[in-house]
């Protein structure tokens, strides 16, 4: 046991980057009963702005295969986040991020203990129940349904729970129940294309086959476009994105990435139009909103038209309304607000701020 603690300690010390990380190292090597005492003792070192960067660094432990260390550190991060927030809401950002990563890597067995630990202490976390449902989706759809239903009991407005219910009911052949679940998802978010398409398929499978064929064709062109983009062949990529969009005009991600290709070619007017189309078809695409803000900010720098800057700021704000922890959009908004202050004569003129798009890269 002592050897295990030592291994965790050494791994955590190697991971530590700042004062918050140092506190977290103390926590993971002490019983959870001591965590609040440790936070009290180090209260001055705990800053809300350090939580999300700590989660990102901690995720690297999982990427390196240090699953247990990552899980323990994420629990400590979530506890400190709850402590910093005045003990009002246990958001479980770290544990949910870790479980989502494992699911994306098709490793549900690794996501399971993370979610079990979370839900044992916080059974009111609806997002945890949704992920738990997806852990069981392929192996036991009936159990997955129970998990999604639990999420709905906790919070009837969880869109992802109804999407999960629709998928699980479909897997066991209960199409009527699946349609009802997808309809509930649409009540929460009328722009949910996945739910809308699923209902069409379930109500008329034959008509939906043509849609599915077009979708498959669009996905092939999209995948080819991504390969060309990665090779720096932006003009060729644009042609493939166009073919993907031809198969489905509402293919919002193809619009976004086509905009990125034009961005790389410095054709910012065309990029702007692409990003506008992307957010038209998917108003919850935070990346498209951020990139729209980016190209509009560039146009402001060229024209000094304050209306364009106002629209840029509004686009960054919409990205952050979708994801308040979207670090790149936070930086972009701060920079754009400084530009507005400078343009109105209320702030100091600075030239050291990075240009739009300088961080991170468009893709």
């Amino acid at each position: 046991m002592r050897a295990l603690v030592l291994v965790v300690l050494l791994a955590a010390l190697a991971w530590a980057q700042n004062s918050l990380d140092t506190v977290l190292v103390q926590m993971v090597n002490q019983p959870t009963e001591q965590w609040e005492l440790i936070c009290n003792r180090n209260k001055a070192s705990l800053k809300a702005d350090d939580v999300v960067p700590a989660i990102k660094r901690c995720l690297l432990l999982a990427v390196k295969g240090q699953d247990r260390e990552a899980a323990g550190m994420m629990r400590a991060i979530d506890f400190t986040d709850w402590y910093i927030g005045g003990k009002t809401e246990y958001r479980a950002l770290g544990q949910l991020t870790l479980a989502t990563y494992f699911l994306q890597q098709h490793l549900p067995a690794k996501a399971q203990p993370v979610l079990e630990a979370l839900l044992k202490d916080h059974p009111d976390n609806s997002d945890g129940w949704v992920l738990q449902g997806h852990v069981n989706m392929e192996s036991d759809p009936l159990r997955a349904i129970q998990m999604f239903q639990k999420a709905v009991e906790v919070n009837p407005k969880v869109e992802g729970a109804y999407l999960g219910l629709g998928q699980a009911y479909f897997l066991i052949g209960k199409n009527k129940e699946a349609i009802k679940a997808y309809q509930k998802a649409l009540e929460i978010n009328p722009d949910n294309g996945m739910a809308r398409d699923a209902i069409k398929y379930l109500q008329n499978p034959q008509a939906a086959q043509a849609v599915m064929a077009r979708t498959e064709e669009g996905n092939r062109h999209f995948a080819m476009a991504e390969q060309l983009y990665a090779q720096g062949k932006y003009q060729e990529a644009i042609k493939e994105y166009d073919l993907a969009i031809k198969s489905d005009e509402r293919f919002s991600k193809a619009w976004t990435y086509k905009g990125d290709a034009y961005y790389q070619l410095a054709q910012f007017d065309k990029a702007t139009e692409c990003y506008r189309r992307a957010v038209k078809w998917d108003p919850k695409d935070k990346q498209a909103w951020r990139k729209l803000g980016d190209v509009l900010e560039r146009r402001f720098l060229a024209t000094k038209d304050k209306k364009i800057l106002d629209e840029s700021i509004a686009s960054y704000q919409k990205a952050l309304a979708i994801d308040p922890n979207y670090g790149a959009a936070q930086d972009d908004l701060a920079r754009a607000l400084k530009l507005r202050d400078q343009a109105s004569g209320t702030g100091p003129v600075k030239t050291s701020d990075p240009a739009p798009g300088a961080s991170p890269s468009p893709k």
Side-chain angles (χ1 to χ4, degrees):
M1 182 66 179
R2 178 179 293 180
L4 175 61
V5 171
L6 179 60
V7 170
V8 173
L9 177 59
L10 291 174
L13 284 173
W15 170 83
Q17 298 287 323
N18 58 30
S19 55
L20 172 60
D21 295 341
T22 303
V23 174
L24 295 171
V25 170
Q26 296 178 41
M27 293 172 65
V28 296
N29 287 285
Q30 292 294 332
T32 55
E33 294 81 6
Q34 299 293 319
W35 284 8
E36 186 164 1
L37 179 62
I38 294 171
C39 287
N40 286 335
R41 191 166 57 237
N42 296 276
K43 191 172 184 178
S45 301
L46 302 179
K47 299 178 182 178
D49 291 344
D50 291 336
V51 171
V52 172
I55 290 173
K56 293 178 180 178
R57 288 192 295 275
C58 181
L59 192 58
L60 294 177
L61 294 176
V63 173
K64 295 176 181 178
Q66 297 172 263
D67 304 339
R68 294 181 62 184
E69 293 89 339
M73 195 67 73
M74 287 296 196
R75 287 186 67 193
I77 290 172
D78 289 340
F79 186 94
T80 56
D81 177 58
W82 170 77
Y83 180 90
I84 294 169
K87 306 178 186 178
T88 56
E89 180 185 8
Y90 190 90
R91 300 187 295 172
L93 297 178
Q95 291 166 97
L96 293 174
T97 298
L98 183 60
T100 300
Y101 166 75
F102 286 139
L103 285 171
Q104 290 172 339
Q105 298 299 311
H106 306 289
L107 299 170
K110 290 189 175 184
Q112 179 77 9
V114 176
L115 294 169
E116 285 180 349
L118 166 61
L119 293 170
K120 178 181 178 181
D121 295 331
H122 301 277
D124 59 341
N125 191 289
S126 59
D127 290 331
W129 289 112
V130 171
L131 289 180
Q132 186 76 294
H134 286 291
V135 165
N136 293 276
M137 183 72 79
E138 294 185 7
S139 61
D140 191 349
L142 289 174
R143 178 165 173 76
I145 288 171
Q146 295 176 353
M147 302 296 101
F148 294 128
Q149 288 174 334
K150 183 65 178 179
V152 171
E153 290 175 12
V154 173
N155 183 358
K157 297 296 184 180
V158 178
E159 180 182 354
Y162 293 109
L163 292 175
L165 279 171
Q167 183 180 353
Y169 278 129
F170 171 74
L171 288 175
I172 63 174
K174 293 189 174 183
N175 289 0
K176 290 183 179 180
E177 288 82 351
I179 290 172
K180 290 179 181 179
Y182 286 125
Q183 287 173 335
K184 290 292 292 185
L186 282 176
E187 289 176 13
I188 297 171
N189 176 18
D191 295 316
N192 191 309
M194 180 187 299
R196 184 172 51 250
D197 292 342
I199 291 172
K200 288 180 181 178
Y201 175 81
L202 291 166
Q203 290 177 334
N204 191 347
Q206 290 182 340
Q209 291 297 329
V211 175
M212 292 179 65
R214 290 198 303 272
T215 300
E216 290 177 2
E217 181 183 1
N219 287 337
R220 286 196 297 272
H221 287 297
F222 183 80
M224 178 59 69
E226 289 290 87
Q227 293 180 23
L228 292 168
Y229 184 101
Q231 296 168 13
K233 300 178 180 179
Y234 303 121
Q235 291 287 10
E236 293 92 332
I238 288 169
K239 293 179 181 178
E240 291 295 326
Y241 287 128
D242 281 336
L243 290 171
I245 291 166
K246 184 178 180 180
S247 70
D248 180 6
E249 186 185 8
R250 304 174 67 96
F251 198 157
S252 60
K253 194 55 69 178
W255 281 110
T256 299
Y257 289 174
K258 179 183 173 183
D260 288 345
Y262 277 126
Y263 187 109
Q264 293 286 13
L265 294 170
Q267 297 183 33
F268 300 119
D269 287 343
K270 291 183 178 180
T272 301
E273 178 58 27
C274 290
Y275 296 136
R276 290 194 191 282
R277 293 290 189 94
V279 297
K280 173 186 177 181
W281 298 124
D282 184 4
K284 291 194 173 183
D285 187 338
K286 65 179 183 180
Q287 183 186 23
W289 279 116
R290 181 200 162 224
K291 294 315 303 297
L292 178 58
D294 184 305
V295 290
L296 289 170
E297 187 179 343
R298 286 183 176 274
R299 288 180 60 188
F300 163 76
L301 292 172
T303 65
K304 304 303 179 184
D305 185 337
K306 293 181 181 179
K307 290 183 179 179
I308 295 176
L309 180 59
D310 288 340
E311 187 181 357
S312 170
I313 290 171
S315 298
Y316 291 141
Q317 289 172 332
K318 286 178 180 178
L320 287 169
I322 297 166
D323 180 3
N325 297 312
Y326 192 0
Q330 291 172 349
D331 295 340
D332 292 337
L333 177 60
R335 183 186 60 245
L337 290 173
K338 285 183 181 179
L339 281 175
R340 186 169 66 181
D341 289 344
Q342 293 167 13
S344 62
T346 60
V349 177
K350 292 185 178 180
T351 59
S352 58
D353 291 325
S359 61
S361 62
K363 199 72 168 153

